[in-house]
Amino acid sequence: MGRLKLQSFVNTIEEEPEESEVTSPNKAALSCMINSEIGAVLAIMRRNVRWGGRYMSGDDQLEHSLIQSMKALRKQIFMWQQQWHNINPVLYLQPFLDVIRSDETGAPITSVALSSVYKIFTLDVLDINTTNIEDAMHLVVDAVTSCRFEVTDPASEEVVLTKILQVLLACMESKASVVLSNQHVCTIVNTCFRIVHQATTKGELLHRMAVHTMRELVRCIFSHLPEVESMEHFVVNRGSMKSEIGGLDNEFNFSAKQFNNGNGSSEYDGHLPSANFGSTATVSRSAGVVDENSGGSEMESRAYNLDVMTEPYGVPSMFEIFRFLCSLLNVVDHIGISSRSNGMEIDEDAPLFALGLINSAIELGGASFLRHPSLLDLIQDELFHNLMLFGLSPSPLILSMVCSIALNLYHHLRMDLKLQLEAFFSCVILRLAQSRYGASYQQQEAAMEALVDFCRQKTFMVEMYANLDCDITCSNVFEDLANLLSKSAFPVNCPLSSMHILALDGLIAVIQGMAERIGDGSLDLEQAPVSLEEYAPFWMVKCNNYSDSNHWVPYVRRRKYIKRRLMIGADHFNRDPKKGLEFLQGTHLLPEKLDPQSVACFFRYTAGLDKNLVGDFLGNHDEFCVQVLHEFAQTFDFQDMNLDIALRLFLETFRLPGESQKIQRVLEAFAERYYEQSSHILANKDAAFILSYSLIMLNTDLHNVQVKKKMTEDDFIRNNRRINGGEDLPGEYLLELYHSICKSEIRTTPEQGAGFAEMNPSRWIDLMHKCKKTAPYIVPDSRAYLDHDMFSIMSGPMIAAISVVFDHAEHEEVYRTCIDGFLAIAKISACHHLEDVLDDLVVSLCKFTTLLNPSSVEEPVLAFGDDMKARMATVTVFTIANRYGNYIRSGWRNILDCILRLHKLGLLPARVASDAADESELSSDPGKGKPFMNSLSASHLPSMGTPRRSSGLMGRFSQLLSLETEEPRSHPTDQQLAAHQRTLQTIQKCHIDSIFTESKFLQAESLLQLARALIWAAGRPQKGAGTLEDEDTAVFCLELLIAITLNNRDRIVLLWQGVYEHIANIVQSTVMPCALVEKAVFGLLRICQRLLPLKENLADELLKSLQLVLKLDARVADAYCEQITQEVTRLVKANSTHIRSQMGWRTITSLLSVTARHPEASEPGFDALVYMMSEGAHMMPCNFILCVDTARQFAESRVGQSDRSIRALDLMAGSVGCLVKWVCETKDALEMSQDIGEMWLRLVQALRKVCLDQREEVRNHAVLSLQKCLTEMDEVHLAHSIWLQCFDMVVFTMLDDLLEISQGHSQKDYRNMEGTLTFAVKLLSKLFLQLLTQLSQLTTFCKLWLGVLSRMEKYMKVKIRGKRSEKLQNIVLELLKNTLVEMKNRGILAQRSALGGDSLWELTWLHVNNITPSLQSEVFPCAGADGSSPVEPVITES
């Protein structure tokens, strides 16, 4: 049953039994109260002469019945013993109600009686458990609504009307109101409305009281809607019930009953005056006031039967009341924007009153309307249509109320108002919010306020996008609204106004809603792009489950993709129809072989098509075009639609061709479709065709200015005789068509989709038809399923709009609103991976920092501190960089421009670049000051002297305090101090250093772009800046680049190539020492020091980069040689175990070799070499030769004392132990010995070179070291060829070179060569004897032996200071004798048979005899020639 659930009220009362107990002691008090009311009524009656005494009737004197009933009640009230809720209320209400009904009483008496009844209601003695409460409530309503009284004066009359309103409202607010019937509730509302209407001619107080009561009544009634049950099965056809309801017409309809008085001197009009409502409809006999001109909507064919209206009130009464409220808006056929339609401007109170009541009903009924289809139908059709019309009212008050109702309807009922909401936004909001459609500024502002209210609903824009923008049959409401907000916020050649701020609020609300859906974390909603792999009918795309996001999200994205492709296809079609269709075939929206249905649906559902081309295509005589035309007609729904309306809708979709044959084909297709669906009047499709053609002709005749004689009604009827299967059509039907065409022209040349169409009756009827077939309304949840697509659409215009508002704004509140918007945009862009959008935002924001503008002010720091906009923009830029740096790409360049500007102004913290690297990288030896440390550090130290211009913030601040300049300066003002303080606070908030210290968390692509931006910023010339400033910028950028390189050691491969090339360009292009090349060289060394232990796979690449140091210009290298060497030494000591390749060691040793001849650098360089070679700790096969060569260079170097050269020789000599150890440790001794031999040969060759040194002690030590290296290789089995090479290339060469030096150079250059020659010849003898056994087996032994003899012979003849050295000769003779004796004893030197010849014997003695002839006889005396015992060799001191 569609009534209130009474049980709930009964339970409430039953649960509170103590109420009766409380009331029981007060029974006497209640009796006294009612007694006092009786006394008040009697007293006021006695004041009237009519009631003051007795009157005669025959012989008896009788009192009037009203007084008698009052006195009788007075006697009874103190005699009742039962509780008040057990007393029949009729007993104590009836006397008062009789007074109210009586037409003999005057206004004062009636007023007091009404007050008494009102007081009884306020006593709370009437509730649902009271005895006979239904009859009592019905009596009260009947009596009060039919109140009669004599009017004595206007004031008293208004008092009575006020009391009536009070009592009726008390009835509805009473707990017992649930027993009122639908009929009585309708009567109460009807009575109150009549008072509202008639009070307009009376006092203002009464009018306001009546309006307030009406509003409270509606609120009271509809607040019970959630508690009533559905009662739709009681709805019957109104036409069949007219006879039953007609008798009750005067009982419960909303016709204006009259208040009767005794003498008829005051009667209220029985109809609504036309002065207030214009073309008001007449009162119908059914329960409601309807507009006969509303087109006969479905709602008017419904009513409730008599039984339902006498039931306790519920849906039937609410339906009648709500329909009546809607009918109050049916007072205008059309309300336009134009000021000419100013009928509503005269009195806007009436529609405002109706709209306010409707709004209250919707607010309180809420979503409960959804459970009652009759009420929902009223809202969907009649109410919304009226809202569309009143929405275009020139009154901002009416527009504002209409928008409030629309917002409430959206909030509660949007799932059933999809197309209505689309029409409201397209035809009302979007039209009124733009001045180009003729709306006043007040209308624009009201419409914009409404739109912003909608935007503040968190899911509004998402719902519009999902339900409308992604539907091919609907307009792009989301896109239009977003563009409207962006354009409206964009001030063009005008100051900022409230409209701009309002639109800005809307934009911010939309993007903040998106940001809230994201939450604090990133999204995991990566969705694959939509594509169509094969053809499927695009107009038949369905969703299996509209409440499951796994189904509806792909569904709406697919529909949006189709819609976009269709619009692109429409653009192609408008340029060339054939190519347009081919394009759609290529995108699988049309089949490879075109079929009529698909092309027809393309024409029907695609927006933006050229309607002239569509009309030409449909009117073509080609067979395929004819088929498309008929399929096109099949897409329309003409069910139960008038012919003229159907024809209007059909011809709105294309331009009707001008040729008669084409018109005929088009109308034949239309007539066939119309007859299929609306055949209740027309006999056949031919009749539909003829009548349609006749309407086109009538339309041309009536609305063509060139036609002078217009067709009359009779002419039209006469022209259409016997067209309906040989019969005439009803005259009323033809007249209705005639007047419809006469009133509104059928446009055969429809607009090409520009702007927003007006909502005419035919379009509204079509919309109602579409509502039955449209897809269900999708309600997204709080997740950001579609935000990526939506944000991509609106981001560009939105950023531009907010930026322009920010630029024009002058108030902090607007600044902060814009900043909130910027941060929300950044968050959305980052979470949806829209890097381009984030870059655009950064570029836009950087412009507002004023840091990129050429400084034209004398004190840019003070200007920055005074500019709130610039400071806020700066903080925002760096906030975005810190929070969302992962998704910044090209925007890094603009951010770096800002950082560089702050750097030039001295506003950055002193060590922003140095602190960007980890603290662990800082030198562990702070005691040694290094000039190549951060060159900015010193400049940022606070100084109270006269600081440099490039000093830090405190330094610049101290300029204001400095008194040491030539010209006296005044102390800084308070304003300047405050500006500096604000600047300092701003820079602190930026956390600029975090960009670089936290770069380790940046995504690879963003990190790479940041590094490239640093290289780009450092390399480009600075306009208007000197060389020093350019260098300072380059140094700063290089510091930052090195910092992020060190912070991203795990991703060094990503950065290394760019970093290396940048440093290489600096090194190779610098010819003089400067801070930039200093930073480049030592930055490179720092990178190697930090990364070598961690990236062994990149060790070669890193060490190879150090070769850049070798390419330094000589002047540059000389300036930094000592520091470079110190860094290389640290690198070697810290990372020697991580350098395993020959190329890496070659780089290290090359750097060390360079230092051997540098006065300052040689000492640390030699320390590194000692570290590497001492005891072979860090010697290995790959670096052996390199270390030996380096040691040789230090040995040869005359920088420093000879002791260092001797130590270098010791290092070389000691390295032999490494060779021996490696041979012993290796398994493949043979192969290893070959490599060892080569390394050993290189070692002794190096020593041979040092043996020629000018310094005696070095030269002699080198010879002894060489001897050590030659004689300690016994454990290593070197190949004979190695030894032969050693004699030829080392020993013999050394002896020859020493001999040459002793003969060809002055003794001043080479002192005491005699000693050196002695050591050398001893070395020769000892080595020869040590290897004698091995070498004697060689075929080349004779040659080797002759080489030894020839050197001894030369040394015998050498002259020192012009004469032969006796000492040297004696040593040579002794060595020679020992050698010969040893050879004899081993059987190597012996006389062989003369027959075969003995070259060794003969050649030996040939050379020996040249040295000393007597030696042969000493070694081989005659006695021993035939085999005597061997001669002992002479032992000499080695």
Side-chain angles (χ1 to χ4, degrees):
M1 297 293 290
R3 64 189 71 155
L4 292 172
K5 299 177 182 178
L6 305 183
Q7 187 64 34
S8 61
F9 291 86
V10 176
N11 292 341
T12 303
I13 296 174
E14 289 176 353
E15 291 171 1
E16 299 177 0
E18 67 276 4
E19 184 178 348
S20 61
E21 297 176 3
V22 175
T23 309
S24 181
N26 297 329
K27 183 169 74 68
L30 293 173
S31 300
C32 292
M33 292 179 188
I34 294 178
N35 181 63
S36 66
E37 294 303 317
I38 295 172
V41 174
L42 289 175
I44 196 68
M45 292 178 71
R46 291 191 184 102
R47 291 174 58 185
N48 193 302
V49 177
R50 180 187 300 176
W51 312 97
R54 304 169 182 271
Y55 64 90
M56 303 300 295
S57 176
D59 297 330
D60 300 326
Q61 286 185 333
L62 299 175
E63 287 185 316
H64 196 278
S65 59
L66 296 178
I67 296 179
Q68 289 181 353
S69 63
M70 286 286 182
K71 291 183 176 181
L73 176 60
R74 173 174 275 182
K75 293 178 182 179
Q76 296 176 8
I77 55 175
F78 291 105
M79 300 173 60
W80 293 331
Q81 299 299 320
Q82 62 269 46
Q83 298 295 328
W84 273 96
H85 69 271
N86 293 327
I87 300 173
N88 185 355
V90 176
L91 296 178
Y92 52 83
L93 285 174
Q94 189 66 58
F96 298 101
L97 299 180
D98 289 341
V99 174
I100 294 171
R101 284 179 178 271
S102 174
D103 54 2
E104 299 179 10
T105 57
I109 299 174
T110 304
S111 173
V112 174
L114 287 167
S115 296
S116 300
V117 174
Y118 175 73
K119 184 172 183 179
I120 292 172
F121 272 104
T122 62
L123 296 177
D124 261 350
V125 297
L126 301 177
D127 57 43
I128 197 170
N129 291 328
T130 304
T131 302
N132 200 25
I133 187 62
E134 292 187 21
D135 290 342
M137 294 295 290
H138 293 172
L139 281 173
V140 172
V141 173
D142 289 340
V144 175
T145 56
S146 59
C147 173
R148 296 176 176 85
F149 61 95
E150 291 181 351
V151 176
T152 56
D153 60 89
S156 60
E157 179 186 5
E158 292 184 18
V159 171
V160 172
L161 295 178
T162 302
K163 298 294 184 182
I164 291 173
L165 294 172
Q166 273 188 334
V167 174
L168 292 179
L169 181 58
C171 284
M172 290 306 305
E173 292 178 341
S174 168
K175 295 178 181 178
S177 64
V178 293
V179 302
L180 291 174
S181 67
N182 290 304
Q183 166 190 340
H184 284 96
V185 171
C186 292
T187 303
I188 290 173
V189 175
N190 183 33
T191 302
C192 289
F193 175 73
R194 285 187 287 120
I195 296 176
V196 169
H197 170 62
Q198 298 185 30
T200 55
T201 60
K202 303 185 183 302
E204 179 69 17
L205 182 61
L206 174 63
H207 177 69
R208 295 197 177 194
M209 179 69 179
V211 170
H212 170 75
T213 304
M214 190 73 178
R215 186 178 296 112
E216 291 302 312
L217 278 176
V218 171
R219 293 178 62 85
C220 182
I221 293 169
F222 281 91
S223 65
H224 293 298
L225 182 60
E227 302 167 8
V228 302
E229 301 172 351
S230 179
M231 192 183 169
E232 297 304 319
H233 55 283
F234 286 97
V235 179
V236 296
N237 185 275
R238 175 178 174 182
S240 63
M241 295 299 295
K242 279 188 178 181
S243 59
E244 299 180 27
I245 300 176
L248 296 172
D249 190 78
N250 293 326
E251 295 296 328
F252 62 87
N253 70 356
F254 284 106
S255 60
K257 285 182 172 183
Q258 62 183 10
F259 291 99
N260 296 322
N261 54 29
N263 56 14
S265 62
S266 176
E267 289 188 1
Y268 289 92
D269 297 334
H271 61 84
L272 304 179
S274 59
N276 288 333
F277 289 90
S279 57
T280 305
T282 58
V283 179
S284 68
R285 299 188 61 187
S286 64
V289 179
V290 298
D291 184 357
E292 294 179 350
N293 297 326
S294 62
S297 68
E298 184 181 358
M299 294 302 103
E300 295 178 13
S301 64
R302 288 188 171 188
Y304 289 92
N305 60 31
L306 177 61
D307 294 336
V308 172
M309 295 305 293
T310 56
E311 292 284 345
Y313 86 94
V315 174
S317 58
M318 295 181 189
F319 170 79
E320 294 298 341
I321 294 169
F322 197 77
R323 190 173 72 165
F324 167 66
L325 296 178
C326 293
S327 71
L328 294 179
L329 301 177
N330 294 336
V331 295
V332 214
D333 291 333
H334 178 71
I335 301 174
I337 302 180
S338 173
S339 58
R340 291 176 295 177
S341 303
N342 56 4
M344 296 302 297
E345 292 181 353
I346 299 174
D347 183 8
E348 59 187 13
D349 292 340
L352 279 175
F353 169 69
L355 291 169
L357 296 179
I358 292 172
N359 194 35
S360 297
I362 294 170
E363 286 174 345
L364 292 164
S368 301
F369 281 95
L370 295 172
R371 294 191 286 113
H372 307 291
S374 60
L375 289 170
L376 186 59
D377 287 346
L378 271 177
I379 293 173
Q380 289 175 325
D381 191 354
E382 186 173 356
L383 173 60
F384 234 108
H385 191 199
N386 286 325
L387 292 180
M388 299 285 292
L389 298 177
F390 274 93
L392 300 178
S393 165
S395 167
L397 294 176
I398 294 177
L399 174 59
S400 179
M401 183 57 70
V402 166
C403 294
S404 297
I405 295 174
L407 181 61
N408 282 320
L409 290 173
Y410 164 80
H411 183 68
H412 296 296
L413 310 174
R414 61 183 179 276
M415 294 187 68
D416 291 272
L417 298 174
K418 173 181 172 179
L419 298 184
Q420 287 87 343
L421 287 170
E422 178 200 6
F424 179 75
F425 286 109
S426 297
C427 301
V428 178
I429 298 297
L430 287 167
R431 285 179 64 86
L432 293 181
Q434 303 179 71
S435 59
R436 59 176 174 162
Y437 295 105
S440 66
Y441 182 82
Q442 289 77 14
Q443 286 177 302
Q444 295 177 51
E445 194 169 29
M448 187 59 66
E449 287 175 349
L451 175 56
V452 173
D453 287 338
F454 276 99
C455 291
R456 292 190 175 113
Q457 314 306 308
K458 300 301 181 185
T459 61
F460 168 71
M461 282 296 202
V462 188
E463 292 175 10
M464 293 298 102
Y465 181 78
N467 292 286
L468 302 178
D469 287 56
C470 296
D471 190 336
I472 61 173
T473 63
C474 299
S475 57
N476 292 330
V477 171
F478 160 76
E479 196 167 339
D480 292 336
L481 292 178
N483 289 333
L484 171 63
L485 289 172
S486 297
K487 291 178 181 178
S488 299
F490 207 106
V492 180
N493 299 326
C494 63
L496 212 58
S497 67
S498 59
M499 179 72 77
H500 300 131
I501 304 302
L502 200 57
L504 175 68
D505 290 340
L507 282 176
I508 302 301
V510 173
I511 58 177
Q512 285 184 338
M514 291 185 181
E516 289 176 10
R517 283 192 290 275
I518 292 171
D520 295 329
S522 183
L523 294 176
D524 188 19
L525 294 173
E526 291 294 332
Q527 297 168 339
V530 181
S531 61
L532 301 179
E533 301 298 334
E534 58 184 12
Y535 168 73
F538 61 84
W539 61 94
M540 297 178 66
V541 178
K542 301 296 181 185
C543 179
N544 296 327
N545 188 343
Y546 286 90
S547 59
D548 185 357
S549 60
N550 293 324
H551 290 86
W552 69 257
V553 172
Y555 163 69
V556 298
R557 295 185 76 241
R558 181 181 179 86
R559 285 201 308 177
K560 184 60 178 177
Y561 174 82
I562 291 172
K563 191 172 184 179
R564 285 175 176 160
R565 305 304 288 181
L566 285 174
M567 295 185 71
I568 296 173
D571 188 53
H572 286 285
F573 181 88
N574 292 341
R575 292 196 294 265
D576 187 332
K578 182 179 179 181
K579 290 184 179 179
L581 297 178
E582 290 176 352
F583 170 80
L584 293 171
Q585 287 175 297
T587 56
H588 304 295
L589 288 173
L590 293 180
E592 293 184 5
K593 183 178 180 181
L594 291 177
D595 64 81
Q597 185 186 25
S598 63
V599 178
C601 290
F602 168 63
F603 290 156
R604 181 74 169 93
Y605 301 120
T606 304
L609 285 172
D610 187 329
K611 296 182 179 180
N612 293 320
L613 295 176
V614 176
D616 290 339
F617 191 99
L618 296 176
N620 198 303
H621 66 278
D622 180 77
E623 181 181 356
F624 180 77
C625 295
V626 173
Q627 293 175 351
V628 171
L629 172 61
H630 284 271
E631 289 291 343
F632 182 77
Q634 292 296 314
T635 62
F636 287 85
D637 179 14
F638 298 139
Q639 192 73 37
D640 300 325
M641 196 178 289
N642 283 350
L643 180 64
D644 66 310
I645 293 177
L647 190 58
R648 292 177 192 276
L649 293 175
F650 186 69
L651 296 180
E652 274 187 355
T653 56
F654 62 93
R655 180 184 182 278
L656 187 65
E659 297 86 343
S660 59
Q661 292 181 347
K662 292 185 177 182
I663 295 175
Q664 179 178 346
R665 281 191 290 271
V666 169
L667 293 181
E668 282 176 351
F670 164 76
E672 181 179 352
R673 177 60 174 169
Y674 182 79
Y675 179 72
E676 288 176 6
Q677 296 184 304
S678 301
S679 58
H680 51 281
I681 293 180
L682 300 174
N684 49 48
K685 63 180 181 181
D686 292 336
F689 166 70
I690 296 173
L691 188 56
S692 301
Y693 212 109
S694 180
L695 287 178
I696 295 297
M697 295 176 64
L698 173 65
N699 185 72
T700 305
D701 185 273
L702 293 178
H703 298 286
N704 192 328
V705 294
Q706 297 180 355
V707 178
K708 302 302 180 183
K709 185 179 180 181
K710 304 297 183 181
M711 188 182 300
T712 63
E713 297 175 1
D714 295 336
D715 294 336
F716 180 68
I717 294 175
R718 184 168 55 253
N719 291 342
N720 292 285
R721 286 178 180 172
R722 301 187 182 282
I723 65 171
N724 196 28
E727 301 294 332
D728 287 341
L729 288 166
E732 297 83 1
Y733 179 70
L734 292 176
L735 285 176
E736 182 181 355
L737 293 176
Y738 178 88
H739 290 297
S740 175
I741 302 299
C742 184
K743 183 179 179 181
S744 177
E745 177 187 4
I746 297 177
R747 295 186 177 275
T748 56
T749 55
E751 299 176 359
Q752 293 291 340
F756 302 98
E758 295 182 11
M759 181 55 68
N760 55 40
S762 60
R763 287 174 181 157
W764 184 258
I765 293 172
D766 181 49
L767 185 144
M768 289 295 101
H769 280 73
K770 288 180 179 178
C771 287
K772 302 173 185 177
K773 300 179 181 180
T774 188
Y777 192 92
I778 296 171
V779 182
D781 56 24
S782 59
R783 299 193 68 190
Y785 297 110
L786 303 175
D787 285 357
H788 178 280
D789 299 338
M790 295 167 57
F791 189 71
S792 299
I793 293 173
M794 67 181 299
S795 59
M798 179 171 56
I799 292 175
I802 299 177
S803 299
V804 174
V805 173
F806 188 67
D807 188 26
H808 285 68
E810 297 178 355
H811 300 287
E812 182 178 359
E813 182 180 356
V814 182
Y815 292 160
R816 298 197 180 281
T817 302
C818 295
I819 293 299
D820 291 341
F822 288 137
L823 291 175
I825 292 171
K827 180 178 181 180
I828 299 166
S829 303
C831 290
H832 289 295
H833 299 180
L834 297 171
E835 293 86 358
D836 292 343
V837 177
L838 192 57
D839 285 338
D840 291 343
L841 176 62
V842 169
V843 170
S844 181
L845 269 173
C846 286
K847 296 176 182 177
F848 296 115
T849 63
T850 68
L851 298 175
L852 306 184
N853 305 332
S855 179
S856 57
V857 294
E858 293 183 1
E859 280 294 340
V861 178
L862 292 177
F864 183 78
D866 289 329
D867 192 341
M868 176 184 292
K869 183 188 300 183
R871 297 198 311 275
M872 294 178 73
T874 303
V875 173
T876 306
V877 165
F878 289 108
T879 301
I880 292 173
N882 278 297
R883 289 184 187 174
Y884 312 114
N886 272 334
Y887 307 98
I888 298 176
R889 298 294 182 263
S890 60
W892 283 122
R893 293 192 174 188
N894 300 80
I895 294 173
L896 282 175
D897 282 340
C898 294
I899 294 175
L900 291 177
R901 180 61 177 163
L902 291 172
H903 170 66
K904 291 175 183 176
L905 294 176
L907 297 179
L908 287 183
R911 292 181 58 84
V912 67
S914 298
D915 290 344
D918 294 341
E919 292 181 1
S920 59
E921 77 177 65
L922 298 178
S923 173
S924 59
D925 187 14
K928 296 184 178 181
K930 299 190 296 292
F932 57 91
M933 282 184 59
N934 186 356
S935 59
L936 298 179
S937 302
S939 66
H940 286 276
L941 292 175
S943 172
M944 295 307 295
T946 305
R948 299 186 320 172
R949 181 169 179 78
S950 60
S951 61
L953 178 62
M954 292 303 297
R956 289 187 56 79
F957 181 64
S958 65
Q959 289 180 13
L960 296 170
L961 306 175
S962 175
L963 300 176
E964 300 177 8
T965 52
E966 296 179 1
E967 298 179 3
R969 296 183 182 180
S970 59
H971 287 282
T973 64
D974 292 342
Q975 290 82 0
Q976 291 174 326
L977 293 172
H980 274 280
Q981 185 63 29
R982 287 192 295 267
T983 300
L984 178 61
Q985 292 172 352
T986 299
I987 301 305
Q988 290 174 343
K989 292 178 183 177
C990 290
H991 302 291
I992 297 173
D993 54 332
S994 298
I995 296 175
F996 306 99
T997 57
E998 303 300 319
S999 62
K1000 62 175 77 69
F1001 302 113
L1002 288 178
Q1003 291 182 2
E1005 182 60 27
S1006 178
L1007 177 64
L1008 187 60
Q1009 293 295 334
L1010 174 58
R1012 290 175 178 172
L1014 282 167
I1015 295 171
W1016 171 82
R1020 76 185 195 281
Q1022 299 290 321
K1023 294 182 178 179
T1027 305
L1028 291 178
E1029 191 170 357
D1030 288 346
E1031 182 184 358
D1032 188 43
T1033 298
V1035 169
F1036 183 69
C1037 291
L1038 182 59
E1039 287 178 335
L1040 297 178
L1041 184 63
I1042 293 170
I1044 65 169
T1045 304
L1046 294 174
N1047 274 317
N1048 291 274
R1049 48 183 174 268
D1050 294 334
R1051 297 184 287 180
I1052 185 63
V1053 177
L1054 183 70
L1055 300 173
W1056 179 245
Q1057 188 62 33
V1059 175
Y1060 173 76
E1061 290 178 357
H1062 180 57
I1063 294 177
N1065 289 335
I1066 295 173
V1067 169
Q1068 295 173 2
S1069 61
T1070 306
V1071 295
M1072 292 295 291
C1074 63
L1076 180 60
V1077 72
E1078 173 188 332
K1079 181 60 65 176
V1081 171
F1082 295 107
L1084 184 62
L1085 287 166
R1086 283 171 58 200
I1087 292 173
C1088 292
Q1089 289 176 17
R1090 292 293 307 282
L1091 300 185
L1092 274 177
L1094 307 172
K1095 297 292 178 182
E1096 292 188 7
N1097 58 327
L1098 290 176
D1100 289 349
E1101 193 73 22
L1102 291 170
L1103 292 170
K1104 182 181 178 181
S1105 67
L1106 294 180
Q1107 294 178 6
L1108 289 174
V1109 179
L1110 301 175
K1111 300 179 181 179
L1112 285 170
D1113 184 270
R1115 290 166 291 187
V1116 177
D1118 183 66
Y1120 304 117
C1121 191
E1122 181 181 4
Q1123 293 89 346
I1124 292 173
T1125 308
Q1126 291 173 351
E1127 293 300 315
V1128 173
T1129 302
R1130 292 191 185 95
L1131 185 148
V1132 170
K1133 291 181 178 180
N1135 301 286
S1136 57
T1137 57
H1138 304 290
I1139 307 174
R1140 302 186 180 279
S1141 70
Q1142 186 177 20
M1143 187 193 72
W1145 282 112
R1146 177 177 287 110
T1147 304
I1148 296 296
T1149 54
S1150 298
L1151 291 171
L1152 295 178
S1153 298
V1154 172
T1155 66
R1157 289 172 173 81
H1158 195 279
E1160 291 82 13
S1162 58
E1163 189 63 33
F1166 187 70
D1167 288 344
L1169 183 65
V1170 171
Y1171 176 81
M1172 292 161 54
M1173 297 185 67
S1174 291
E1175 300 179 0
H1178 302 289
M1179 297 283 284
M1180 56 190 74
C1182 63
N1183 70 353
F1184 181 86
I1185 296 174
L1186 298 170
C1187 290
V1188 167
D1189 285 341
T1190 305
R1192 177 186 62 79
Q1193 295 194 45
F1194 274 99
E1196 293 176 342
S1197 173
R1198 305 193 67 171
V1199 176
Q1201 300 297 322
S1202 299
D1203 291 344
R1204 189 166 65 198
S1205 298
I1206 293 174
R1207 289 173 60 197
L1209 291 170
D1210 290 339
L1211 292 176
M1212 296 172 69
S1215 64
V1216 175
C1218 295
L1219 300 178
V1220 176
K1221 183 177 67 172
W1222 294 337
V1223 171
C1224 296
E1225 292 175 352
T1226 186
K1227 295 179 180 179
D1228 190 356
L1230 180 61
E1231 182 178 352
M1232 186 63 186
S1233 64
Q1234 295 177 356
D1235 297 333
I1236 294 297
E1238 294 178 2
M1239 288 187 280
W1240 174 78
L1241 193 59
R1242 293 289 297 272
L1243 170 62
V1244 294
Q1245 285 179 332
L1247 285 170
R1248 176 194 65 78
K1249 295 179 180 179
V1250 186
C1251 291
L1252 309 179
D1253 196 275
Q1254 289 184 343
R1255 294 167 295 176
E1256 176 186 1
E1257 62 274 21
V1258 175
R1259 185 170 63 248
N1260 292 340
H1261 197 80
V1263 174
L1264 295 176
S1265 299
L1266 177 60
Q1267 178 178 320
K1268 178 181 178 182
C1269 293
L1270 292 172
T1271 57
E1272 289 185 1
M1273 291 297 289
D1274 290 343
E1275 300 179 16
V1276 181
H1277 300 285
L1278 296 177
H1280 296 156
S1281 59
I1282 296 293
W1283 283 113
L1284 292 176
Q1285 289 184 49
C1286 176
F1287 273 97
D1288 288 339
M1289 299 172 59
V1290 178
V1291 181
F1292 292 162
T1293 304
M1294 177 195 67
L1295 291 169
D1296 294 342
D1297 291 343
L1298 287 174
L1299 186 62
E1300 181 182 353
I1301 290 173
S1302 65
Q1303 301 300 312
H1305 290 78
S1306 169
Q1307 288 295 319
K1308 294 180 180 180
D1309 296 333
Y1310 290 86
R1311 294 182 179 181
N1312 196 17
M1313 281 299 296
E1314 181 181 10
T1316 305
L1317 294 176
T1318 302
F1319 287 127
V1321 75
K1322 287 181 179 180
L1323 181 152
L1324 173 65
S1325 175
K1326 185 173 182 179
L1327 179 62
F1328 182 77
L1329 290 175
Q1330 183 176 329
L1331 300 173
L1332 183 59
T1333 303
Q1334 300 177 40
L1335 298 176
S1336 63
Q1337 307 300 321
L1338 301 177
T1339 58
T1340 58
F1341 175 72
C1342 182
K1343 180 180 178 182
L1344 177 63
W1345 168 235
L1346 293 178
V1348 172
L1349 289 176
S1350 66
R1351 267 68 182 183
M1352 288 186 173
E1353 181 180 356
K1354 291 179 181 178
Y1355 271 57
M1356 280 291 293
K1357 299 177 181 179
V1358 67
K1359 292 181 178 181
I1360 305 298
R1361 295 187 181 91
K1363 60 180 180 178
R1364 293 187 179 184
S1365 172
E1366 183 178 347
K1367 178 181 178 182
L1368 186 58
Q1369 289 177 350
N1370 293 334
I1371 291 175
V1372 171
L1373 288 174
E1374 289 179 6
L1375 293 176
L1376 178 58
K1377 181 178 180 181
N1378 288 339
T1379 304
L1380 292 172
V1381 171
E1382 189 64 28
M1383 292 175 66
K1384 172 185 175 183
N1385 292 340
R1386 297 185 186 182
I1388 297 173
L1389 182 62
Q1391 186 175 8
R1392 302 289 188 265
S1393 94
L1395 294 175
D1398 193 350
S1399 59
L1400 178 63
W1401 175 265
E1402 294 175 355
L1403 291 174
T1404 297
W1405 295 115
L1406 180 62
H1407 282 278
V1408 172
N1409 290 333
N1410 289 334
I1411 298 172
T1412 172
S1414 61
L1415 196 56
Q1416 182 177 5
S1417 58
E1418 292 181 18
V1419 178
F1420 289 93
C1422 296
D1426 53 356
S1428 60
S1429 60
V1431 179
E1432 291 296 327
V1434 178
I1435 304 300
T1436 59
E1437 185 180 354
S1438 61

